Amino acid sequence: MQSRPTFLTSTLACALLSGCAGLSPTRIIGNTAGAAGGALIGHTFEKGNPLATTLGAGAGVLVSEALQAGSSAAQQKSYLSGYEKGQSDTAKRQFQALNDRQRLSPQSDEAAHLRLFEVPLPERQVNGVTFAPATATLRIQE
């Protein structure tokens, strides 16, 4: 008969300690399993001592919470990495769209107000680097 009150105590401890688990089913199951496992270990090692059973359940929940915190941190880091990559891709697409728009011929309305001015660039040396003669095209829109 001694094991029945201990079982009820450990079951009650599991239910009470897993109530703090929030709304995530994974978290509830993990905390309940951690509390049950901790209570079983505490009960086994201390030969049915209710205090050890309760402390084991609490320790099991703490271990479960620590594991879930590590998992949540890794998930958050992965999410932020993907978010930053998405921002980078968006900036690249916008840059490419602007370049494409400038390379294409102007629309009929803009053609009257657009001039292309070619500037010859002589051979020059900047910081020890020699640049070959080239021609730059300036786009002037009025």
Side-chain angles (χ1 to χ4, degrees):
M1 277 316 229
Q2 178 71 18
S3 67
R4 187 173 178 98
T6 305
F7 175 74
L8 290 176
T9 303
S10 61
T11 304
L12 179 64
C14 289
L16 290 175
L17 290 173
S18 67
C20 301
L23 299 176
S24 168
T26 305
R27 189 174 201 145
I28 292 171
I29 291 169
N31 284 355
T32 303
L40 179 65
I41 291 171
H43 177 73
T44 303
F45 283 141
E46 292 297 322
K47 299 186 180 19
N49 183 353
L51 180 61
T53 303
T54 304
L55 290 175
V61 170
L62 289 176
V63 168
S64 174
E65 283 292 322
L67 292 174
Q68 289 177 20
S71 174
S72 295
Q75 183 181 11
Q76 181 69 13
K77 183 178 177 182
S78 175
Y79 174 79
L80 287 175
S81 174
Y83 182 77
E84 288 172 359
K85 179 155 177 40
Q87 283 182 324
S88 172
D89 289 347
T90 300
K92 288 176 188 175
R93 278 195 300 270
Q94 287 176 343
F95 178 75
Q96 190 62 42
L98 285 173
N99 281 343
D100 290 344
R101 201 169 96 198
Q102 288 178 357
R103 260 191 310 228
L104 296 175
S105 62
Q107 300 296 330
S108 60
D109 295 345
E110 296 176 356
H113 304 290
L114 180 69
R115 291 184 307 161
L116 299 177
F117 185 67
E118 292 190 4
V119 179
L121 300 173
E123 181 177 322
R124 63 200 181 283
Q125 194 169 24
V126 178
N127 293 331
V129 177
T130 303
F131 290 95
T135 302
T137 304
L138 298 177
R139 181 179 174 179
I140 301 172
Q141 186 170 2
E142 298 173 359

Coordinates of all heavy atoms in Angstrom, one line a residue, residues 44-119:
T44 N 12.8 5.7 -7.1 CA 13.6 4.5 -7.1 C 14.9 4.6 -6.3 O 15.2 3.7 -5.5 CB 14.1 4.2 -8.6 OG1 12.9 4.0 -9.4 CG2 14.8 2.9 -8.6
F45 N 15.6 5.7 -6.4 CA 16.9 5.9 -5.7 C 16.6 6.1 -4.2 O 17.5 5.7 -3.4 CB 17.7 7.0 -6.2 CG 18.4 6.6 -7.5 CD1 18.6 7.5 -8.5 CD2 19.0 5.3 -7.7 CE1 19.2 7.2 -9.7 CE2 19.6 5.0 -8.9 CZ 19.7 5.9 -9.9
E46 N 15.6 6.7 -3.8 CA 15.3 7.0 -2.4 C 14.3 6.1 -1.8 O 13.8 6.4 -0.7 CB 14.9 8.5 -2.2 CG 16.0 9.5 -2.6 CD 17.2 9.4 -1.6 OE1 17.0 9.1 -0.4 OE2 18.3 9.5 -2.1
K47 N 14.0 5.0 -2.5 CA 13.1 4.0 -2.0 C 11.7 4.5 -1.5 O 11.3 4.3 -0.4 CB 13.8 3.2 -0.8 CG 15.0 2.5 -1.3 CD 15.6 1.7 -0.3 CE 16.9 1.0 -0.7 NZ 17.7 1.4 -1.8
G48 N 11.1 5.3 -2.3 CA 9.7 5.8 -2.0 C 9.6 7.0 -1.2 O 8.5 7.4 -0.9
N49 N 10.6 7.8 -1.0 CA 10.6 9.0 -0.2 C 9.8 10.1 -1.1 O 10.2 10.4 -2.2 CB 12.0 9.5 0.1 CG 12.0 10.8 0.9 OD1 10.9 11.4 1.2 ND2 13.2 11.2 1.4
P50 N 8.7 10.6 -0.6 CA 7.9 11.5 -1.4 C 8.6 12.8 -1.7 O 8.4 13.4 -2.8 CB 6.7 11.8 -0.5 CG 6.6 10.8 0.5 CD 8.0 10.2 0.7
L51 N 9.5 13.3 -0.8 CA 10.2 14.5 -1.1 C 11.2 14.2 -2.2 O 11.3 15.1 -3.1 CB 11.0 14.9 0.2 CG 11.8 16.2 0.0 CD1 11.0 17.4 -0.3 CD2 12.6 16.5 1.3
A52 N 11.9 13.1 -2.2 CA 12.8 12.8 -3.3 C 12.1 12.6 -4.6 O 12.6 13.0 -5.7 CB 13.6 11.5 -3.0
T53 N 10.9 12.0 -4.6 CA 10.1 11.9 -5.8 C 9.7 13.2 -6.3 O 9.8 13.5 -7.6 CB 8.8 11.1 -5.4 OG1 9.2 9.8 -4.9 CG2 7.9 10.8 -6.7
T54 N 9.3 14.1 -5.5 CA 8.9 15.5 -5.9 C 10.1 16.2 -6.5 O 10.0 16.9 -7.5 CB 8.2 16.2 -4.8 OG1 7.1 15.5 -4.3 CG2 7.7 17.6 -5.2
L55 N 11.2 16.2 -5.8 CA 12.4 16.8 -6.2 C 12.9 16.2 -7.6 O 13.4 17.0 -8.4 CB 13.5 16.7 -5.2 CG 13.3 17.5 -3.9 CD1 14.4 17.3 -2.9 CD2 13.2 19.0 -4.2
G56 N 12.8 14.9 -7.7 CA 13.1 14.3 -9.0 C 12.2 14.8 -10.1 O 12.7 15.0 -11.3
A57 N 10.9 15.0 -9.8 CA 10.0 15.5 -10.9 C 10.4 16.9 -11.2 O 10.4 17.3 -12.4 CB 8.6 15.4 -10.3
G58 N 10.7 17.7 -10.3 CA 11.1 19.1 -10.5 C 12.4 19.1 -11.4 O 12.5 19.9 -12.3
A59 N 13.3 18.3 -11.0 CA 14.6 18.2 -11.8 C 14.4 17.8 -13.2 O 15.0 18.3 -14.1 CB 15.6 17.3 -11.1
G60 N 13.4 16.8 -13.4 CA 13.1 16.4 -14.7 C 12.5 17.5 -15.6 O 12.8 17.6 -16.8
V61 N 11.7 18.3 -15.0 CA 11.1 19.4 -15.7 C 12.2 20.4 -16.1 O 12.2 21.0 -17.2 CB 9.9 20.1 -14.9 CG1 9.5 21.4 -15.5 CG2 8.8 19.2 -14.8
L62 N 13.1 20.7 -15.1 CA 14.2 21.6 -15.4 C 15.0 21.2 -16.6 O 15.4 21.9 -17.4 CB 15.0 21.9 -14.1 CG 14.3 22.7 -13.0 CD1 15.2 22.7 -11.8 CD2 14.0 24.1 -13.5
V63 N 15.3 19.9 -16.6 CA 16.1 19.3 -17.7 C 15.4 19.4 -19.0 O 15.9 19.8 -20.0 CB 16.5 17.8 -17.4 CG1 17.1 17.2 -18.6 CG2 17.5 17.8 -16.2
S64 N 14.1 19.1 -19.0 CA 13.3 19.3 -20.2 C 13.2 20.7 -20.7 O 13.4 21.0 -21.9 CB 11.9 18.8 -19.9 OG 11.0 19.0 -21.0
E65 N 13.1 21.6 -19.7 CA 13.0 23.1 -20.1 C 14.4 23.5 -20.7 O 14.4 24.3 -21.7 CB 12.7 23.9 -18.9 CG 11.2 23.9 -18.6 CD 10.3 24.6 -19.6 OE1 10.8 25.6 -20.2 OE2 9.2 24.1 -19.9
A66 N 15.5 23.0 -20.1 CA 16.8 23.4 -20.6 C 17.0 22.9 -22.0 O 17.5 23.6 -22.9 CB 17.9 22.9 -19.7
L67 N 16.6 21.7 -22.3 CA 16.7 21.1 -23.6 C 15.8 21.9 -24.6 O 16.2 22.1 -25.8 CB 16.3 19.6 -23.6 CG 17.3 18.7 -22.9 CD1 16.7 17.3 -22.8 CD2 18.6 18.7 -23.6
Q68 N 14.6 22.2 -24.2 CA 13.7 23.0 -25.1 C 14.2 24.4 -25.4 O 14.1 24.9 -26.4 CB 12.3 23.0 -24.6 CG 11.7 21.6 -24.6 CD 10.3 21.6 -24.0 OE1 9.7 22.6 -23.9 NE2 9.8 20.4 -23.7
A69 N 14.9 25.0 -24.4 CA 15.4 26.3 -24.5 C 16.6 26.3 -25.6 O 16.7 27.2 -26.4 CB 15.9 26.9 -23.2
G70 N 17.4 25.3 -25.5 CA 18.5 25.1 -26.5 C 17.9 24.9 -27.9 O 18.4 25.5 -28.9
S71 N 16.8 24.1 -28.0 CA 16.2 23.9 -29.3 C 15.5 25.1 -29.8 O 15.6 25.5 -31.0 CB 15.1 22.8 -29.1 OG 14.4 22.6 -30.3
S72 N 14.9 25.9 -28.9 CA 14.3 27.2 -29.4 C 15.3 28.2 -29.8 O 15.1 28.9 -30.8 CB 13.5 27.8 -28.2 OG 12.4 26.9 -27.9
A73 N 16.5 28.2 -29.1 CA 17.5 29.2 -29.5 C 18.1 28.8 -30.9 O 18.3 29.7 -31.7 CB 18.6 29.2 -28.5
A74 N 18.2 27.5 -31.2 CA 18.7 27.1 -32.5 C 17.7 27.4 -33.6 O 18.0 27.8 -34.7 CB 19.0 25.6 -32.5
Q75 N 16.4 27.2 -33.2 CA 15.4 27.5 -34.2 C 15.3 29.0 -34.5 O 15.1 29.4 -35.6 CB 14.0 27.0 -33.7 CG 12.9 27.2 -34.6 CD 11.6 26.7 -34.0 OE1 11.5 26.4 -32.8 NE2 10.6 26.6 -34.9
Q76 N 15.4 29.8 -33.5 CA 15.4 31.3 -33.7 C 16.6 31.7 -34.5 O 16.4 32.6 -35.4 CB 15.4 32.0 -32.3 CG 15.3 33.5 -32.4 CD 14.0 34.0 -32.8 OE1 13.0 33.3 -32.9 NE2 14.0 35.2 -33.2
K77 N 17.8 31.1 -34.2 CA 18.9 31.5 -35.0 C 18.8 31.1 -36.5 O 19.1 31.9 -37.4 CB 20.2 30.8 -34.4 CG 21.5 31.2 -35.1 CD 22.6 30.5 -34.5 CE 23.9 30.8 -35.2 NZ 25.1 30.1 -34.6
S78 N 18.2 30.0 -36.7 CA 17.9 29.5 -38.1 C 16.9 30.4 -38.8 O 17.1 30.8 -40.0 CB 17.4 28.1 -38.1 OG 17.1 27.6 -39.4
Y79 N 15.9 30.8 -38.1 CA 14.9 31.7 -38.6 C 15.5 33.1 -39.0 O 15.3 33.6 -40.1 CB 13.8 31.9 -37.6 CG 12.7 33.0 -38.0 CD1 11.7 32.6 -38.9 CD2 12.8 34.2 -37.5 CE1 10.8 33.6 -39.3 CE2 11.9 35.2 -37.9 CZ 10.9 34.9 -38.8 OH 10.0 35.8 -39.2
L80 N 16.3 33.6 -38.1 CA 17.0 34.9 -38.4 C 17.9 34.8 -39.6 O 18.0 35.7 -40.4 CB 17.7 35.4 -37.2 CG 16.8 35.9 -36.0 CD1 17.7 36.3 -34.8 CD2 16.0 37.1 -36.5
S81 N 18.6 33.7 -39.7 CA 19.5 33.5 -40.8 C 18.7 33.5 -42.1 O 19.1 34.2 -43.1 CB 20.3 32.2 -40.7 OG 21.0 31.9 -41.8
G82 N 17.6 32.8 -42.2 CA 16.8 32.8 -43.3 C 16.2 34.1 -43.7 O 16.0 34.5 -44.8
Y83 N 15.8 34.9 -42.6 CA 15.2 36.2 -42.8 C 16.2 37.1 -43.4 O 15.9 37.9 -44.3 CB 14.7 36.7 -41.4 CG 14.0 38.1 -41.5 CD1 12.7 38.2 -42.0 CD2 14.7 39.2 -41.1 CE1 12.1 39.4 -42.0 CE2 14.1 40.5 -41.2 CZ 12.8 40.5 -41.7 OH 12.2 41.8 -41.7
E84 N 17.5 37.1 -42.9 CA 18.5 38.0 -43.4 C 18.8 37.6 -44.9 O 19.1 38.4 -45.7 CB 19.8 37.9 -42.6 CG 19.6 38.6 -41.2 CD 20.8 38.3 -40.3 OE1 21.7 37.6 -40.7 OE2 20.7 38.9 -39.2
K85 N 18.8 36.3 -45.2 CA 19.0 35.9 -46.6 C 17.9 36.4 -47.5 O 18.2 36.8 -48.6 CB 19.1 34.3 -46.7 CG 19.4 33.9 -48.1 CD 20.1 32.5 -48.1 CE 20.2 32.0 -49.5 NZ 20.6 32.9 -50.5
G86 N 16.7 36.3 -47.0 CA 15.6 36.8 -47.8 C 15.7 38.3 -48.0 O 15.4 38.8 -49.1
Q87 N 16.2 39.1 -47.0 CA 16.4 40.5 -47.2 C 17.5 40.8 -48.3 O 17.3 41.6 -49.1 CB 16.8 41.2 -45.9 CG 15.6 41.4 -44.9 CD 16.1 42.1 -43.7 OE1 17.2 41.8 -43.2 NE2 15.3 42.9 -43.1
S88 N 18.5 40.0 -48.2 CA 19.6 40.1 -49.1 C 19.1 39.8 -50.6 O 19.5 40.6 -51.5 CB 20.8 39.2 -48.8 OG 21.7 39.2 -49.8
D89 N 18.4 38.8 -50.7 CA 17.8 38.4 -52.0 C 16.9 39.5 -52.6 O 17.0 39.8 -53.8 CB 17.1 37.1 -52.0 CG 18.0 35.9 -51.8 OD1 19.2 36.1 -51.9 OD2 17.5 34.8 -51.5
T90 N 16.1 40.1 -51.7 CA 15.2 41.2 -52.1 C 16.0 42.4 -52.6 O 15.7 43.0 -53.6 CB 14.3 41.6 -51.0 OG1 13.5 40.5 -50.6 CG2 13.4 42.7 -51.4
A91 N 17.1 42.7 -51.9 CA 17.9 43.9 -52.3 C 18.6 43.6 -53.6 O 18.7 44.5 -54.5 CB 19.0 44.1 -51.2
K92 N 19.0 42.4 -53.8 CA 19.7 42.0 -55.1 C 18.7 42.1 -56.2 O 19.0 42.6 -57.3 CB 20.2 40.6 -55.0 CG 21.5 40.5 -54.2 CD 21.9 39.0 -54.1 CE 23.0 38.8 -53.0 NZ 23.3 37.4 -52.9
R93 N 17.5 41.6 -56.0 CA 16.4 41.7 -57.1 C 16.1 43.2 -57.4 O 16.0 43.5 -58.6 CB 15.2 41.0 -56.7 CG 15.2 39.5 -56.9 CD 13.9 38.9 -56.8 NE 13.2 39.1 -55.5 CZ 13.3 38.2 -54.5 NH1 14.1 37.2 -54.6 NH2 12.7 38.5 -53.3
Q94 N 16.0 44.0 -56.4 CA 15.7 45.4 -56.6 C 16.9 46.1 -57.4 O 16.7 46.9 -58.3 CB 15.5 46.2 -55.3 CG 14.2 45.9 -54.7 CD 14.0 46.5 -53.3 OE1 14.9 47.0 -52.7 NE2 12.8 46.6 -52.9
F95 N 18.1 45.8 -57.0 CA 19.3 46.3 -57.7 C 19.3 45.9 -59.2 O 19.5 46.7 -60.1 CB 20.5 45.9 -57.0 CG 21.8 46.4 -57.6 CD1 22.2 47.7 -57.5 CD2 22.6 45.5 -58.4 CE1 23.4 48.1 -58.1 CE2 23.8 45.9 -58.9 CZ 24.2 47.2 -58.8
Q96 N 19.0 44.6 -59.4 CA 19.0 44.1 -60.8 C 17.9 44.7 -61.6 O 18.1 45.1 -62.8 CB 18.8 42.6 -60.8 CG 19.1 41.9 -62.1 CD 20.5 42.2 -62.6 OE1 21.4 42.1 -61.9 NE2 20.6 42.5 -63.9
A97 N 16.7 45.0 -61.0 CA 15.6 45.6 -61.7 C 16.0 47.0 -62.1 O 15.7 47.5 -63.2 CB 14.4 45.6 -60.8
L98 N 16.6 47.7 -61.2 CA 17.1 49.1 -61.5 C 18.1 49.1 -62.6 O 18.0 49.9 -63.6 CB 17.7 49.8 -60.3 CG 16.7 50.3 -59.2 CD1 17.4 50.8 -58.0 CD2 15.8 51.4 -59.8
N99 N 19.0 48.2 -62.6 CA 20.0 48.1 -63.7 C 19.4 47.7 -65.0 O 19.7 48.3 -66.0 CB 21.1 47.0 -63.3 CG 22.1 47.6 -62.4 OD1 22.2 48.8 -62.2 ND2 22.9 46.7 -61.7
D100 N 18.5 46.8 -65.0 CA 17.8 46.4 -66.2 C 17.0 47.6 -66.8 O 16.9 47.8 -68.0 CB 16.8 45.2 -66.0 CG 17.6 44.0 -65.7 OD1 18.8 43.9 -66.0 OD2 17.0 43.0 -65.2
R101 N 16.3 48.4 -65.9 CA 15.5 49.5 -66.3 C 16.4 50.6 -67.0 O 16.0 51.2 -67.9 CB 14.8 50.1 -65.2 CG 13.6 50.9 -65.6 CD 12.7 51.2 -64.4 NE 13.1 52.5 -64.0 CZ 12.8 53.1 -62.8 NH1 12.1 52.3 -61.9 NH2 13.2 54.2 -62.5
Q102 N 17.6 50.7 -66.4 CA 18.5 51.7 -67.0 C 19.1 51.3 -68.3 O 19.4 52.1 -69.2 CB 19.6 52.1 -66.0 CG 19.1 52.9 -64.8 CD 20.3 53.2 -63.8 OE1 21.4 52.7 -64.0 NE2 19.9 54.0 -62.8
R103 N 19.3 50.0 -68.5 CA 19.9 49.5 -69.7 C 19.0 49.5 -70.8 O 19.4 49.6 -72.0 CB 20.4 48.0 -69.4 CG 21.9 47.9 -69.2 CD 22.3 46.5 -69.2 NE 21.4 45.7 -68.4 CZ 21.8 44.9 -67.5 NH1 23.0 44.6 -67.4 NH2 20.9 44.2 -66.8
L104 N 17.7 49.3 -70.6 CA 16.7 49.2 -71.6 C 16.6 50.6 -72.3 O 16.8 51.6 -71.7 CB 15.4 48.7 -71.1 CG 15.3 47.3 -70.6 CD1 14.0 47.0 -70.0 CD2 15.7 46.3 -71.7
S105 N 16.1 50.6 -73.5 CA 15.9 51.9 -74.2 C 14.8 52.7 -73.5 O 13.9 52.1 -72.9 CB 15.6 51.6 -75.6 OG 14.3 50.9 -75.7
P106 N 14.9 53.9 -73.5 CA 13.9 54.8 -72.8 C 12.5 54.7 -73.5 O 12.4 54.4 -74.7 CB 14.5 56.2 -72.9 CG 15.4 56.1 -74.0 CD 15.9 54.7 -74.1
Q107 N 11.5 54.9 -72.7 CA 10.1 55.0 -73.3 C 10.0 56.2 -74.2 O 10.8 57.1 -74.2 CB 9.1 55.0 -72.1 CG 9.2 53.8 -71.2 CD 8.9 52.5 -71.9 OE1 8.1 52.5 -72.8 NE2 9.5 51.5 -71.4
S108 N 8.9 56.2 -75.0 CA 8.7 57.3 -75.9 C 8.6 58.6 -75.2 O 9.1 59.6 -75.7 CB 7.5 57.0 -76.8 OG 6.4 56.9 -76.0
D109 N 8.0 58.7 -74.1 CA 7.8 60.0 -73.4 C 9.2 60.5 -72.9 O 9.5 61.7 -72.9 CB 6.9 59.8 -72.2 CG 5.4 59.5 -72.6 OD1 5.2 59.7 -73.8 OD2 4.6 59.1 -71.8
E110 N 10.0 59.6 -72.4 CA 11.3 59.9 -71.8 C 12.3 60.2 -72.9 O 13.3 60.8 -72.6 CB 11.8 58.8 -70.9 CG 10.9 58.6 -69.7 CD 11.4 57.4 -68.9 OE1 12.3 56.7 -69.3 OE2 10.8 57.1 -67.9
A111 N 12.1 59.7 -74.1 CA 13.1 59.8 -75.2 C 13.4 61.3 -75.5 O 14.6 61.6 -75.8 CB 12.7 59.1 -76.4
A112 N 12.5 62.1 -75.4 CA 12.7 63.5 -75.8 C 13.5 64.2 -74.7 O 14.2 65.2 -75.0 CB 11.3 64.2 -75.9
H113 N 13.5 63.7 -73.5 CA 14.2 64.4 -72.4 C 15.5 63.6 -72.0 O 16.1 63.9 -70.9 CB 13.3 64.5 -71.1 CG 12.0 65.2 -71.4 ND1 12.0 66.5 -71.7 CD2 10.7 64.7 -71.5 CE1 10.7 66.9 -71.9 NE2 10.0 65.8 -71.8
L114 N 15.9 62.7 -72.8 CA 17.0 61.8 -72.4 C 18.2 62.0 -73.4 O 17.9 62.0 -74.6 CB 16.6 60.4 -72.4 CG 17.8 59.4 -72.0 CD1 18.2 59.5 -70.6 CD2 17.3 58.0 -72.3
R115 N 19.4 62.2 -72.9 CA 20.5 62.4 -73.7 C 21.6 61.5 -73.2 O 21.8 61.3 -72.0 CB 21.1 63.8 -73.8 CG 20.1 64.7 -74.5 CD 20.7 66.1 -74.6 NE 21.1 66.6 -73.3 CZ 21.9 67.6 -73.1 NH1 22.5 68.2 -74.1 NH2 22.3 68.0 -71.9
L116 N 22.4 60.9 -74.1 CA 23.5 60.1 -73.7 C 24.8 60.8 -74.1 O 24.9 61.2 -75.3 CB 23.5 58.7 -74.4 CG 22.3 57.8 -74.0 CD1 22.3 56.5 -74.8 CD2 22.2 57.5 -72.5
F117 N 25.6 61.0 -73.2 CA 26.8 61.8 -73.4 C 28.1 61.0 -73.1 O 28.2 60.4 -72.0 CB 26.8 63.0 -72.4 CG 27.9 64.0 -72.6 CD1 28.0 64.8 -73.8 CD2 28.9 64.2 -71.7 CE1 29.0 65.7 -74.0 CE2 29.9 65.1 -71.8 CZ 30.0 65.8 -73.0
E118 N 28.9 60.8 -74.2 CA 30.1 59.9 -74.1 C 31.3 60.8 -73.7 O 31.5 61.8 -74.3 CB 30.3 59.2 -75.4 CG 29.3 58.2 -75.7 CD 29.6 57.3 -76.8 OE1 30.7 57.4 -77.4 OE2 28.8 56.4 -77.2
V119 N 32.0 60.3 -72.6 CA 33.1 61.0 -72.1 C 34.3 60.1 -72.3 O 34.4 59.0 -71.8 CB 32.9 61.3 -70.6 CG1 34.2 62.0 -70.1 CG2 31.7 62.1 -70.4

